[in-house]
Amino acid sequence: MKQDVLKRVFDYIEDHLNEEISLDNLARRGYVSLMQLYREFYCVSGHSIKDYIRKRRISNACAQIKNSGLSITEIALGNGFDSLPSFSKVFKKIVGLTPMEYKRSSMFYTFLPGQFPLHLAETAIKIQSGQPLHGLTAVYLAAGDTDIEQQAINALKQAVFTAKRTGMNFRLFGLTPVQVGRSRQSYNIFIDTQNHEYWISALGETGYHSIEPATLCGGEFAVLSVPFTGSINQAWDYLYSHWLAKSVFTLAGDHCREEFIIQKTGTIKELRLSLPIIRKQSSYIIEVTPFEQQHYIVAHAEGSHAEEEASAKLLSQINQRGFLPSSFYVEITSNGYLCGVEQTETGELPAEDGLSVVNLEAGLYAVLTADSFGDFTGLADIMTRWLEENCCYRRAGSPLPSIP
């Protein structure tokens, strides 16, 4: 689907949240089948259409419960629910509190509408579900840390040719660690097969070791097919660093899959790269919490290795003082990287370059707890949009950096 077509679908949902929304009508507005709409909508939102609509309605209702003088019944009927009991049931399931409990609490539930331009999954990248596979794993020790896939498969070329010629059913995968840029000389493979005896013998004769039965986990995958002769590392970098960072998904698991698509002649036609993913948390609970004044010893560094350098300075301080930090401070700026620990004791700050004290004044803070370990800019944007669109509070002072 083109982005402008999908945008019309999202806009239509937003304009009709308080009405019954026909999914067939949505598909007709996009001139696509309902099945295609399901797929495309999930790729860009990470939610089914019905789940997205329910959460947007509840999010709007939450803002009204906190900020308007309307009754709970008026809010329920004004957000597309046909009765108070049905609204209360869905509300409790999504938010975890009854509407009245939510009204009296200090928490804010928010599920923000998708903003365009959304990162649409390129037509070459598909979100697919995979079942667990049962077969054999083995490890190949390559002669160097370049073209290890090619070396491993070349060693198995004759065995693959024989298996194809005899009509044997099998699928061949490479298992790649998710750490980008990690230097490797060993290559793990998985063969989805029931012909264990043949493959145990073939693997052993071609230099593979640690051959044993194994199960390859199922789940959801972002799949990209590339020519086997192409740049595999470049394709992985695109999937992991470019597409994943902008998608509504996050990484799940320790290994990625490289499935070798093999022709009847035994020749490898292409590689099917599969990145294991799960949907990111996109419903957020924000707590308005009073903070006492806090002081953080902060290390600062700049340049391409700023995070490593600042962390090393901070770790040195922790070791010298011999205490276990209870709270950390992280701030990423245009001038570098800052990380710190809460200063729980008095005393002079050691005269070391790059160390300083950051004071957080006492007052009310909006606190967002999320399962993110680095996407601070995105989280800050969520809190800013929440503050602008749904909240009776206003910003006072500079935003608080992330405190893991």
Side-chain angles (χ1 to χ4, degrees):
M1 291 174 65
K2 293 183 178 180
Q3 180 164 295
D4 60 340
V5 173
L6 197 53
K7 182 179 184 303
R8 287 202 300 269
V9 171
F10 276 85
D11 288 345
Y12 181 85
I13 291 174
E14 206 61 28
D15 292 339
H16 297 82
L17 278 174
N18 60 342
E19 307 169 14
E20 182 177 352
I21 298 177
S22 165
L23 300 189
D24 287 328
N25 185 36
L26 278 178
R28 285 195 296 271
R29 293 182 67 84
Y31 305 103
V32 295
S33 68
L34 188 56
M35 186 58 66
Q36 183 180 355
L37 178 62
Y38 281 143
R39 289 195 302 266
E40 297 286 352
F41 194 96
Y42 183 80
C43 282
V44 298
S45 74
H47 292 78
S48 69
I49 302 174
K50 291 183 178 180
D51 189 36
Y52 179 90
I53 292 172
R54 276 194 296 267
K55 289 183 176 179
R56 282 294 302 128
R57 285 173 171 168
I58 292 299
S59 184
N60 281 351
C62 283
Q64 292 174 342
I65 288 173
K66 292 286 190 180
N67 304 321
S68 76
L70 298 174
S71 69
I72 301 299
T73 300
E74 289 174 318
I75 291 172
L77 298 179
N79 282 281
F81 292 89
D82 55 12
S83 69
L84 180 59
S86 64
F87 169 74
S88 298
K89 182 179 179 180
V90 174
F91 192 99
K92 179 67 179 291
K93 182 178 180 181
I94 291 177
V95 180
L97 301 173
T98 67
M100 287 306 299
E101 288 172 339
Y102 177 79
K103 185 173 185 177
R104 293 190 292 265
S105 75
S106 61
M107 65 172 277
F108 289 79
Y109 170 89
T110 185
F111 182 84
L112 297 170
Q115 284 192 321
F116 279 82
L118 287 169
H119 176 77
L120 297 181
E122 289 82 351
T123 55
I125 298 177
K126 306 295 182 183
I127 308 300
Q128 297 180 355
S129 297
Q131 297 297 319
L133 302 176
H134 307 283
L136 296 169
T137 60
V139 178
Y140 183 82
L141 186 61
D145 60 0
T146 58
D147 298 325
I148 59 173
E149 294 93 345
Q150 188 74 58
Q151 294 181 51
I153 296 307
N154 282 345
L156 271 182
K157 185 178 297 184
Q158 185 58 47
V160 167
F161 174 75
T162 302
K164 277 293 184 180
R165 187 182 60 186
T166 58
M168 190 181 300
N169 291 323
F170 70 97
R171 295 170 69 189
L172 178 60
F173 297 84
L175 305 181
T176 304
V178 298
Q179 293 92 338
V180 175
R182 179 179 175 183
S183 178
R184 297 176 291 132
Q185 282 188 279
S186 63
Y187 188 64
N188 292 57
I189 69 163
F190 175 89
I191 303 176
D192 175 27
T193 181
Q194 294 182 348
N195 301 89
H196 284 206
E197 291 185 7
Y198 171 81
W199 286 108
I200 289 174
S201 175
L203 290 166
E205 292 175 358
T206 52
Y208 282 82
H209 63 89
S210 302
I211 306 164
E212 57 186 8
T215 298
L216 204 57
C217 294
E220 281 196 309
F221 299 87
V223 180
L224 173 64
S225 296
V226 296
F228 183 55
T229 56
S231 176
I232 300 170
N233 289 336
Q234 184 178 7
W236 274 126
D237 286 344
Y238 175 78
L239 258 179
Y240 186 81
S241 301
H242 177 76
W243 179 84
L244 185 65
K246 296 182 179 180
S247 77
V248 294
F249 300 95
T250 189
L251 200 63
D254 298 326
H255 287 81
C256 307
R257 301 179 183 180
E258 301 171 336
E259 182 176 6
F260 297 87
I261 307 304
I262 305 169
Q263 298 176 314
K264 291 182 178 180
T265 59
T267 304
I268 297 173
K269 177 183 178 182
E270 62 184 16
L271 269 180
R272 187 171 294 157
L273 310 183
S274 297
L275 195 70
I277 54 173
I278 56 173
R279 186 175 67 190
K280 286 179 183 175
Q281 176 182 325
S282 52
S283 303
Y284 296 96
I285 299 296
I286 296 172
E287 292 273 358
V288 176
T289 305
F291 274 21
E292 300 283 343
Q293 188 179 50
Q294 297 179 9
H295 310 281
Y296 288 84
I297 299 175
V298 175
H300 173 257
E302 300 178 5
S304 58
H305 300 288
E307 182 174 354
E308 293 85 348
E309 293 174 6
S311 300
K313 293 177 184 178
L314 184 64
L315 184 59
S316 175
Q317 275 299 302
I318 293 174
N319 291 335
Q320 287 180 29
R321 297 197 173 203
F323 70 98
L324 183 63
S326 60
S327 184
F328 293 86
Y329 176 105
V330 174
E331 183 177 1
I332 302 171
T333 71
S334 58
N335 295 324
Y337 184 91
L338 294 87
C339 62
V341 292
E342 187 173 4
Q343 186 178 26
T344 55
E345 58 184 36
T346 59
E348 292 294 326
L349 185 68
E352 290 188 27
D353 182 42
L355 289 175
S356 60
V357 173
V358 170
N359 299 312
L360 301 182
E361 298 301 326
L364 286 178
Y365 287 84
V367 179
L368 170 60
T369 302
D371 57 354
S372 176
F373 299 93
D375 189 16
F376 299 142
T377 302
L379 295 177
D381 177 62
I382 289 167
M383 297 188 77
T384 300
R385 291 173 62 192
W386 162 78
L387 194 63
E388 293 172 349
E389 297 180 11
N390 300 314
C391 189
C392 52
Y393 296 95
R394 63 180 177 85
R395 177 180 292 177
S398 300
L400 176 66
S402 299
I403 303 179

